[in-house]
Amino acid sequence: MNIHIIGAGSLGLLYAGKLAASGCRVTVWCRSEEQAGKLRGAGITIEETEGKLQNVDPNAFSVRSWDAFAESGAAADADYLFLMLKQQGIEEMAREVLAPFGHHRRNLICFQNGTGHLERLRELLPMWTIYAAITTEGAKRTSSSSVMHAGHGTTTIGKMMPAASFIGATSHEDHEIELVQELNRAGFEALLSNEMDEMIYRKLLMNAVINPLTALWRIPNGALLSSPERVGLMEQLYREGILVYEAAGIPYGNKLWEWIVSVCQSTSGNTSSMLKDVMDGRTTEVAWINGSIVQLGRKYGVSVPKHELITQLIEGMNL
């Protein structure tokens, strides 16, 4: 299977390295030619939490910078493109790099946190088949060509159907099943789902509970569970989110709180993406995570003061 990965951050390197090592044809698309050059020379190094190193030879995959997307054929040979940028980087990149090919046919899998981006991508890429991916894999980029696999999780993938479509009867196509098999062969626990709306909002609330608190307190995920005070604030954010979901009629499945706690435990040593952004002085995804819950609360008349405060605190950290 031929997979193109757009974005060489922590998750991009993790998936690219493991898929290339398992025999997939992988092309990594980097923001900068500088990083592309380093990957061509060094390959990808994946460090597991137990200290084991996996070195992926640079000849096992291809690397290009975004500037070469059009002249190289715009990934016409890809079975799937994995979009592994953060929310704040999608709009400009999709408009300038991908949208000129929006009336071609491509399969795009979106790994972003938060909400709102899928609708925008549908507008920019009308002929592309858009998938959402929800992953709880923990990863931390340690250099331009290396990543720490900080925690094992699951990767759930599903096709995003138009709002007017009847979703319940959707069956999975052979190439979708093959993709999941390739991911499992590479060492990921992957599955297909026809209930991605529910999965997206489960992941949204999980991120809204975990990520901003780790960023404010400068702690890894697992340390959130180390005191009653920290768990208490997590629970308050969780309860506000559930009230919004119930008012909006958003399904969120069973045992969501228990799942959030288990993710903290399974990625206990992981530095959340929001904490990493704060430490590096970058804009965070809080507007698309807690900010999404604030917007839903306003729409459905539910007060969410903790999420409003958290959003303001995070947005005020970097100017």
Side-chain angles (χ1 to χ4, degrees):
M1 183 161 272
N2 189 345
I3 296 174
H4 287 233
I5 294 177
I6 302 172
S10 54
L11 284 178
L13 291 178
L14 178 66
Y15 280 76
K18 286 187 170 291
L19 285 166
S22 70
C24 282
R25 291 175 58 198
V26 172
T27 300
V28 181
W29 293 92
C30 300
R31 185 187 306 269
S32 70
E33 180 57 37
E34 179 183 3
Q35 185 184 13
K38 290 182 178 178
L39 287 168
R40 292 189 195 104
I44 298 172
T45 299
I46 301 171
E47 181 183 354
E48 300 290 347
T49 51
E50 60 270 20
K52 178 183 176 183
L53 290 179
Q54 181 178 13
N55 296 304
V56 184
D57 191 278
N59 295 316
F61 59 95
S62 300
V63 187
R64 294 181 180 271
S65 64
W66 296 355
D67 293 342
F69 192 76
E71 67 186 47
S72 65
D77 60 341
D79 293 305
Y80 287 94
L81 292 92
F82 288 10
L83 184 60
M84 306 192 97
L85 306 177
K86 293 180 181 178
Q87 277 272 14
Q88 58 267 42
I90 288 179
E91 175 78 18
E92 181 180 1
M93 187 274 177
R95 187 175 60 250
E96 295 181 0
V97 179
L98 304 182
F101 306 93
H103 286 85
H104 298 215
R105 293 190 179 275
R106 302 283 191 277
N107 295 316
L108 181 69
I109 303 181
C110 304
F111 281 77
Q112 287 65 45
N113 295 323
T115 60
H117 59 294
L118 295 169
E119 292 78 9
R120 181 59 177 143
L121 287 168
R122 277 204 194 103
E123 295 173 3
L124 292 170
L125 309 168
M127 295 301 293
W128 291 35
T129 301
I130 307 293
Y131 295 79
I134 302 297
T135 185
T136 55
E137 294 287 344
K140 178 182 179 181
R141 197 178 83 168
T142 51
S143 77
S144 296
S145 61
S146 61
V147 61
M148 175 179 287
H149 193 186
H152 292 272
T154 59
T155 300
T156 306
I157 298 170
K159 187 182 299 181
M160 301 308 296
M161 306 298 292
S165 298
F166 177 67
I167 298 175
T170 301
S171 59
H172 301 302
E173 299 181 37
D174 289 345
H175 63 87
E176 296 169 345
I177 295 170
E178 182 184 354
L179 171 65
V180 166
Q181 291 173 340
E182 292 285 2
L183 285 166
N184 283 306
R185 189 176 298 117
F188 299 104
E189 183 182 342
L191 62 151
L192 293 166
S193 173
N194 290 329
E195 299 176 341
M196 288 309 295
D197 284 340
E198 177 179 312
M199 293 297 299
I200 286 169
Y201 282 101
R202 284 175 68 87
K203 179 75 180 295
L204 174 65
L205 189 50
M206 181 197 78
N207 284 324
V209 169
I210 294 175
N211 290 14
L213 295 182
T214 63
L216 286 169
W217 291 326
R218 307 291 177 101
I219 56 175
N221 293 356
L224 287 173
L225 306 177
S226 65
S227 76
E229 291 78 14
R230 291 174 178 177
V231 174
L233 187 49
M234 290 173 65
E235 289 176 334
Q236 291 176 56
L237 290 169
Y238 171 78
R239 286 195 293 268
E240 283 188 0
I242 291 300
L243 289 174
V244 169
Y245 285 8
E246 290 177 346
I250 294 171
Y252 55 87
N254 299 317
K255 297 185 177 180
L256 178 51
W257 171 253
E258 290 81 358
W259 182 59
I260 292 171
V261 171
S262 72
V263 169
C264 283
Q265 294 168 336
S266 64
T267 62
S268 61
N270 195 40
T271 300
S272 75
S273 59
M274 196 174 293
L275 172 55
K276 186 70 164 58
D277 285 339
V278 167
M279 293 172 66
D280 292 344
R282 294 192 299 259
T283 301
T284 72
E285 295 178 297
V286 73
W288 293 274
I289 299 176
N290 299 80
S292 292
I293 292 174
V294 170
Q295 291 177 5
L296 283 169
R298 290 172 181 165
K299 181 176 180 179
Y300 292 98
V302 178
S303 176
V304 288
K306 296 295 190 300
H307 285 279
E308 290 180 355
L309 178 60
I310 287 288
T311 302
Q312 293 168 348
L313 288 171
I314 296 292
E315 288 185 331
M317 293 179 79
N318 293 311
L319 301 176

